[in-house]
Amino acid sequence: MPYHASRRSLLTAAAAMAAGAAAVGVTSAFSRPGPGPADDGRNPDAARLRRLVARMSLAEKVGQLFVSRAYGHSATEPDPADAEANTTHFGVRTAAELVARYHLGGVIYFAWAHNTRAPAQIAELSNGLQRAALSGPARIPLLVSTDQEHGIIARIGRPATLLPGAMALGAAGSESSARTAARIAGAELAALGIRQDYAPVADVNVNPANPVIGVRSFGADPLAVARLAAAQVRGYQGAGIAATAKHFPGHGDTATDSHVGLPVMQHTRAQWEELDEPPFRAAVEAGVDVVMTAHIVVPALDPSGDPATLSRPILTGILRERLGFRGVVVTDALDMAGVRQKYGDDRVPVLALKAGCDQLLNPPDLPLAHSSVLAAVRSGELSEERIEESVLRILELKARRGLFDDPYTSPERVAATVGAPAHLVAADEIAARTTTLLANPEGLLPLDPGKRPRLLVTGTDPASPSGTTGPPTAVLARELSGLGFSATAVAADRAAASARGHDAVLVCTYNVPEGASPQRTLVAELIATGVPVVAVAIRNPYDVARLPECAASVATYSWTDVEVRAAARVLAGAVRPSGRLPVPVPGRYPLGHGLTYT
């Protein structure tokens, strides 16, 4: 089936689901503007915070709007290469100096910036940055953030608990599991001094060719995505950290990666209301602290051609006024190509604030961005009152998350929380409900070590997400060996020659393209050996429609250890498969498809 036809079919099916649900009243929970962020028992003293804003200098107010990267594992003693990077990008040697010079409101952690080596180190980095922030004239604590979606996006790895990602949770379909996963993730981040997570993803993935969302989404059913996104908001914020629903107004039907280009989403206004709006409305009603913008153009919502991050009709007209959101609006990263194509790096931060953003995330040139916002205020393009609106929202968020009362963490808290045994057990229990058995026409599965003991594991081995043991073929072989099989992992180029003499071959596939491809060729060669072949889709479940028919097929939705281990237990029959497709596989399986063992 041609791609454009399959995407339209998917879009029509999802719209029909939303319309049908509306006809029976399922969407009644999303029928009115939602409240502001929940305070989780804390009621920020708005008058006190307004007095604080009134005492701040303009530079301090502008600094609160920025969330920047900083290089190094330590706030004050970075490695020489990281000190050089800080000097090159920011004109200072250390992360602490960066916070002080620009009066930063937040810092975002990245593995590639060497912020996330080990739990104790991360906690001390957070504490060091807080000391730098609180030594400033205004004595305002810092909001430390990261992208810890789990699944394929995890900035912090082992020994922290790694949990199933969004589409795996969508396959399980359990609000309780989604909430528990977020609660665990939030508790561990809080112990590390990280009080804002850029999760959950509220995008509805109705485009099989989406290069940037895919399994980061809970699925293609807008109402299911809404339920799970709201559950995760409650889980994260119940653990004391700010959740962030992203990427508004919805990045699920794009064929361009906004990191490298400017996507255009062609949904009509009616399609947007049926497909993309429900998860964000549900997140707002759940009291989400933060909403992140998307660097995408949506002509039906704003015909100007500006990306949503810079669109006042979208951020103020729809998010603030239609959905009633009163929390913090953060841009997606401002170093991404999608927001930089139409305007220069000096104009983007100013235009984002004019559109209704509050936090400006990771500008490529912080000195330029900071000075540009200051200049816009001094020239009258931005009023100081407009800056103060955003600063007050940011300070209220910090107060709600307890940062004014207790900004620091401790080694004892890290040791008791991060990778706690109960968390690891819960992660495996949640993952056990996510693996989806897609095909088993000959009843090959579950594999029996008494009848088929010799297994060959091969296929694609993508770089493992942060801190997992990987590669996935080795993890799968090791787990199957622990379940009583003799399982051997071999490289793909030696698989066909090694297959004979084995009782089954398990081949891991990863983002198989349509048409001819090396992965398709590999699977065909393995089938030709006469040994039964099981395809294990370790990222997108769409792979099964792009391969020759195998003796069995399963989908894991990620290649992190926790999900590969869950797949091994399903393959071996230690766990009955219960996952259901949260997206249709065009031309092959409908949404909700999933088999089990009799």
Side-chain angles (χ1 to χ4, degrees):
M1 184 181 295
Y3 157 66
H4 67 277
S6 65
R7 190 198 66 79
R8 283 201 300 269
S9 299
L10 208 58
L11 193 61
T12 302
M17 287 186 293
V24 296
V26 174
T27 57
S28 61
F30 311 131
S31 61
R32 61 190 182 281
D39 64 20
D40 293 339
R42 296 187 180 94
N43 185 15
D45 185 342
R48 179 173 68 89
L49 295 177
R50 283 193 292 269
R51 290 194 296 271
L52 175 56
V53 172
R55 294 196 302 270
M56 295 167 64
S57 69
L58 177 59
E60 289 171 331
K61 294 172 189 175
V62 169
Q64 281 297 304
L65 309 179
F66 284 96
V67 181
S68 178
R69 69 197 179 280
Y71 296 91
H73 71 286
S74 166
T76 55
E77 299 179 2
D79 292 338
D82 292 319
E84 182 178 354
N86 284 325
T87 302
T88 299
H89 290 275
F90 310 120
V92 296
R93 290 188 69 259
T94 72
E97 292 174 280
L98 174 65
V99 169
R101 172 172 291 190
Y102 292 99
H103 312 288
L104 289 180
V107 167
I108 178 173
Y109 287 169
F110 292 106
W112 52 261
H114 308 142
N115 304 139
T116 57
R117 291 181 178 177
Q121 166 268 316
I122 297 169
E124 181 50 38
L125 173 61
S126 299
N127 285 341
L129 292 174
Q130 291 294 2
R131 286 190 287 269
L134 290 167
S135 67
R139 298 185 61 81
I140 297 173
L142 198 67
L143 189 60
V144 179
S145 60
T146 197
D147 285 291
Q148 189 80 347
E149 297 174 13
H150 290 272
I152 70 169
I153 303 293
R155 307 302 185 202
I156 299 164
R158 296 172 69 235
T161 304
L162 292 173
L163 294 135
M167 193 169 284
L169 294 171
S174 166
E175 292 177 48
S176 176
S177 290
R179 184 171 57 253
T180 298
R183 180 184 56 76
I184 291 170
E188 297 199 4
L189 289 175
L192 298 171
I194 299 169
R195 305 294 269 274
Q196 180 178 13
D197 193 11
Y198 297 125
V201 172
D203 305 316
V204 181
N205 198 80
V206 295
N207 188 338
N210 194 320
V212 66
I213 303 301
V215 295
R216 297 168 64 196
S217 163
F218 292 108
D221 178 349
L223 301 181
V225 174
R227 289 192 297 272
L228 296 175
Q232 289 227 298
V233 167
R234 296 185 180 101
Y236 282 118
Q237 296 186 180
I241 73 166
T244 306
K246 62 185 186 184
H247 309 77
F248 190 81
H251 210 317
D253 191 14
T254 55
T256 300
D257 183 346
S258 51
H259 291 84
V260 298
L262 179 57
V264 178
M265 189 173 73
Q266 298 292 356
H267 288 186
T268 66
R269 176 66 181 241
Q271 286 175 325
W272 178 82
E273 291 177 0
E274 290 175 343
L275 299 173
D276 303 289
E277 181 182 26
F280 290 100
R281 184 176 288 279
V284 170
E285 293 204 354
V288 70
D289 279 338
V290 185
V291 172
M292 178 182 283
T293 69
H295 302 326
I296 63 171
V297 172
V298 189
L301 304 183
D302 180 357
S304 70
D306 285 343
T309 299
L310 309 181
S311 169
R312 187 169 179 83
I314 291 174
L315 299 186
T316 298
I318 296 178
L319 180 57
R320 294 283 189 207
E321 296 171 2
R322 176 181 169 88
L323 298 187
F325 180 59
R326 301 199 299 271
V328 170
V329 177
V330 62
T331 70
D332 204 346
L334 296 182
D335 61 345
M336 294 166 59
V339 78
R340 302 175 71 189
Q341 290 194 348
K342 191 173 180 181
Y343 302 100
D345 291 336
D346 59 332
R347 294 298 298 156
V348 166
V350 175
L351 296 174
L353 291 169
K354 293 176 75 171
C357 293
D358 301 304
Q359 285 184 313
L360 304 169
L361 178 61
N362 201 33
D365 187 335
L366 176 63
L368 175 65
H370 190 272
S371 63
S372 296
V373 174
L374 281 172
V377 177
R378 289 168 177 154
S379 72
E381 182 180 7
L382 284 169
S383 70
E384 193 160 352
E385 291 75 17
R386 169 67 193 88
I387 300 300
E388 289 175 351
E389 288 176 10
S390 289
V391 173
L392 186 59
R393 289 191 192 104
I394 292 165
L395 297 185
E396 287 175 340
L397 171 57
K398 292 180 178 184
R400 188 179 306 112
R401 293 296 145 224
L403 283 164
F404 283 95
D405 300 324
D406 184 16
Y408 298 109
T409 187
S410 69
E412 294 77 17
R413 189 178 180 190
V414 172
T417 308
V418 177
H423 292 177
L424 298 173
V425 169
D428 278 328
E429 290 175 347
I430 292 168
R433 298 187 284 272
T434 64
T435 303
T436 305
L437 177 58
L438 299 174
N440 194 26
E442 301 170 11
L444 175 68
L445 301 180
L447 297 169
D448 183 342
K451 297 178 180 178
R452 296 181 183 273
R454 296 164 299 177
L455 304 180
L456 187 72
V457 183
T458 189
T460 304
D461 266 332
S464 293
S466 300
T468 60
T469 55
T473 55
V475 174
L476 184 57
R478 185 167 60 247
E479 188 72 13
L480 288 166
S481 294
L483 292 167
F485 295 90
S486 175
T488 304
V490 300
D493 59 359
R494 296 192 291 113
S498 304
R500 289 183 176 84
H502 289 85
D503 299 305
V505 177
L506 289 79
V507 57
C508 295
T509 68
Y510 177 94
N511 289 2
V512 178
E514 294 186 5
S517 71
Q519 292 187 76
R520 182 181 176 88
T521 299
L522 170 63
V523 172
E525 290 175 349
L526 291 169
I527 292 172
T529 67
V531 178
V533 175
V534 179
V536 182
I538 59 172
R539 184 168 177 168
N540 289 332
Y542 311 114
D543 287 2
V544 66
R546 299 166 182 173
L547 295 170
E549 187 170 351
C550 297
S553 299
V554 301
T556 72
Y557 310 101
S558 177
W559 61 103
T560 51
D561 293 4
V562 69
E563 290 174 80
V564 174
R565 288 198 307 268
R569 295 195 298 274
V570 166
L571 293 167
V575 171
R576 291 167 60 88
S578 58
R580 298 290 182 266
L581 276 175
V583 293
V585 176
R588 189 67 65 91
Y589 302 119
L591 180 122
H593 170 79
L595 306 175
T596 191
Y597 301 142
T598 56

